[in-house]
């Protein structure tokens, strides 16, 4: 917790290490399943041959927990939180349409839920 707070306040430099994203997701699922109501199903669709990524595992966990709690709030009557991983390859054509992207192999993390979404007022305040 202290490390996360120090990193957040920029007092500690983030250290990227090779991370098995699927492993991090499975660890967070265990915590999320105790945090969110049983009326919400956690659906994992994890690639069996996922490449490792360079990341800070504690930041990955924090992002996934935040998304899970947000999903909980968006589904007061229950629903499904889906987390999916896949290896993807971005080509020149794709990258030409998106600034600051480079062709190559990447790991895709997709998080979605069946919640009600954001109203216009909330949407106007994001970012």
């Amino acid at each position: 917790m202290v490390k996360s707070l120090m990193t957040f306040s920029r007092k500690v430099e983030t250290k990227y290490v090779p991370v098995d994203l699927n492993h991090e997701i499975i660890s967070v699922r265990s915590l999320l399943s105790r945090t969110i109501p049983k009326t919400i199903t956690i659906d994992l669709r994890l690639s069996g041959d996922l490449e490792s990524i360079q990341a800070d595992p504690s930041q990955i966990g924090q992002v996934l927990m935040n998304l899970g709690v947000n999903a909980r709030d968006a589904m007061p009557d229950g629903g499904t939180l889906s987390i999916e991983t896949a290896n993807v390859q971005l080509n020149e054509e794709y990258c030409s349409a998106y600034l600051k992207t480079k062709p190559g192999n990447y790991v895709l993390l997709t998080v979605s839920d069946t919640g009600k979404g954001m109203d216009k007022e909330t949407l106007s305040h994001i970012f």
Side-chain angles (χ1 to χ4, degrees), residues 17 25 27 34 36 39-40 52-53 56 63 67 69 72 78 82 85 92 97 102 105 110 119-120 125:
V17 297
I25 292 168
S27 295
R34 294 188 303 267
I36 62 177
T39 56
I40 297 174
S52 67
I53 61 171
D56 179 334
V63 166
L67 291 171
V69 169
R72 175 201 65 196
S82 299
T85 59
E92 292 280 347
K102 295 179 182 178
N105 297 320
T110 305
D119 60 29
K120 287 184 180 184
H125 294 288

Side-chain angles (χ1 to χ4, degrees), residues 3-121:
K3 181 182 175 191
S4 294
L5 289 171
M6 296 289 283
T7 299
F8 180 74
S9 67
R10 308 275 187 221
K11 303 245 189 252
V12 171
E13 185 176 326
T14 301
K15 293 185 180 173
Y16 298 112
V17 297
V19 172
D20 177 343
L21 185 57
N22 286 345
H23 175 75
E24 297 302 318
I25 292 168
I26 291 167
S27 295
V28 168
R29 178 191 189 183
S30 175
L31 183 56
L32 268 177
S33 66
R34 294 188 303 267
T35 305
I36 62 177
K38 300 293 182 220
T39 56
I40 297 174
T41 302
I42 301 172
D43 179 31
L44 300 185
R45 288 175 266 155
L46 308 178
S47 173
D49 64 346
L50 196 68
E51 298 290 329
S52 67
I53 61 171
Q54 289 291 106
D56 179 334
S58 64
Q59 287 183 344
I60 296 287
Q62 187 65 50
V63 166
L64 290 169
M65 282 300 297
N66 287 346
L67 291 171
V69 169
N70 288 347
R72 175 201 65 196
D73 295 344
M75 300 183 289
D77 300 321
T80 302
L81 170 63
S82 299
I83 304 174
E84 184 175 355
T85 59
N87 294 315
V88 296
Q89 185 174 34
L90 304 183
N91 60 26
E92 292 280 347
E93 181 181 345
Y94 178 89
C95 292
S96 68
Y98 297 93
L99 296 175
K100 298 187 180 184
T101 57
K102 295 179 182 178
N105 297 320
Y106 294 88
V107 169
L108 175 66
L109 169 64
T110 305
V111 180
S112 60
D113 64 63
T114 58
K116 60 186 177 189
M118 291 184 253
D119 60 29
K120 287 184 180 184
E121 174 66 19

